[in-house]
Amino acid sequence: GNSVTQMEGPVTLSEEAFLTINCTYTATGYPSLFWYVQYPGEGLQLLLKATKADDKGSNKGFEATYRKETTSFHLEKGSVQVSDSAVYFCALGSSGGSYIPTFGRGTSLIVHP
Amino acid sequence: NAGVTQTPKFQVLKTGQSMTLQCAQDMNHEYMSWYRQDPGMGLRLIHYSVGAGITDQGEVPNGYNVSRSTTEDFPLRLLSAAPSQTSVYFCASSDRSSTNEKLFFGSGTQLSVL
């Protein structure tokens, strides 16, 4: 079945540091890939997505590229801010008509001034 | 546009009590779902619905009931609360008819069972 593996956190960085959060997946077919972000005390919200191989999703300075050959969708940002402190979830879109996405366990990011 | 609205935001129950977590969406989405979020476990799917009158079990359905009488509402019922159900609960919806598959989440209900 489909599965998503994310690096364990927390990831602790200083402001303006470079961020990478690793995400790999196993899937049947070629589902869409997503990154969701959860700020403290809130629900998840979509950060970016990619719908096919080699697509790059981007938003708010974050980027991720759909790599079919390495089954990865790593999240990157060149210069993090304190306001980026949140939990980040990698997710696999549904496949085979199930309409049920698959989420990773989430990675907590803490950015210090 | 309200999106997905969950009530209450916080709830404390005693073991054995029952309650209903409410979820409503105003986007005419066919797909609705309930997740629980626990430390180290990420999000786990409890129940989901692909349209009014249709529900199905997710990964962790035991102890929870759902119904979907309208497109807008998808309540989650705990018939006899247990301490193991202490968690943060999220409702989510999406438009199955599009290829977007973007999920819209409510702001969550923090439930404590004593």
Side-chain angles (χ1 to χ4, degrees):
Chain A
N2 292 353
S3 67
V4 176
T5 302
Q6 283 183 243
M7 62 187 292
E8 290 194 21
V11 174
T12 304
L13 295 173
S14 297
E15 207 165 24
E16 299 184 3
F18 184 86
L19 168 71
T20 300
I21 299 178
N22 290 338
C23 171
T24 57
Y25 67 90
T26 58
T28 54
Y30 302 101
S32 297
L33 297 172
F34 304 85
W35 278 101
Y36 285 83
V37 58
Q38 183 183 29
Y39 298 106
E42 299 183 9
L44 281 71
Q45 57 186 274
L46 182 67
L47 178 61
L48 55 84
K49 68 170 187 174
T51 58
K52 61 182 187 296
D54 300 324
D55 263 4
K56 177 185 285 187
S58 61
N59 186 25
K60 300 181 180 180
F62 291 89
E63 293 183 340
T65 301
Y66 191 157
R67 301 285 189 197
K68 190 175 71 171
E69 62 278 8
T70 56
T71 61
S72 64
F73 192 55
H74 305 321
L75 182 68
E76 296 181 335
K77 187 175 185 183
S79 175
V80 294
Q81 305 300 311
V82 172
S83 57
D84 293 327
S85 298
V87 180
Y88 293 82
F89 290 87
C90 184
L92 197 60
S94 59
S95 60
S98 72
Y99 298 101
I100 302 174
T102 302
F103 284 90
R105 293 195 171 188
T107 302
S108 175
L109 171 65
I110 301 169
V111 181
H112 294 294
Chain B
N1 205 356
V4 179
T5 302
Q6 286 185 241
T7 56
K9 290 189 71 64
F10 301 95
Q11 184 70 48
V12 178
L13 293 177
K14 295 181 179 178
T15 297
Q17 285 186 315
S18 63
M19 78 158 296
T20 300
L21 307 185
Q22 301 291 346
C23 175
Q25 52 90 9
D26 61 359
M27 298 171 282
N28 201 34
H29 285 169
E30 289 185 313
Y31 178 86
M32 296 186 74
S33 54
W34 277 102
Y35 291 87
R36 59 178 289 173
Q37 184 178 29
D38 302 291
M41 302 296 291
L43 290 174
R44 291 185 292 172
L45 182 65
I46 304 171
H47 285 285
Y48 66 97
S49 169
V50 298
I54 307 169
T55 64
D56 208 343
Q57 296 180 353
E59 180 186 357
V60 288
N62 292 341
Y64 307 95
N65 283 348
V66 292
S67 60
R68 185 95 179 269
S69 57
T70 67
T71 299
E72 295 77 20
D73 300 300
F74 191 44
L76 179 72
R77 298 183 183 87
L78 285 70
L79 297 180
S80 179
S84 61
Q85 295 178 304
T86 293
S87 187
V88 181
Y89 291 85
F90 290 98
C91 180
S93 72
S94 72
D95 180 1
R96 280 178 71 211
S97 64
S98 77
T99 57
N100 194 347
E101 292 191 74
K102 173 183 176 180
L103 278 176
F104 293 80
F105 284 83
S107 58
T109 296
Q110 188 168 323
L111 175 67
S112 295
V113 183
L114 306 178

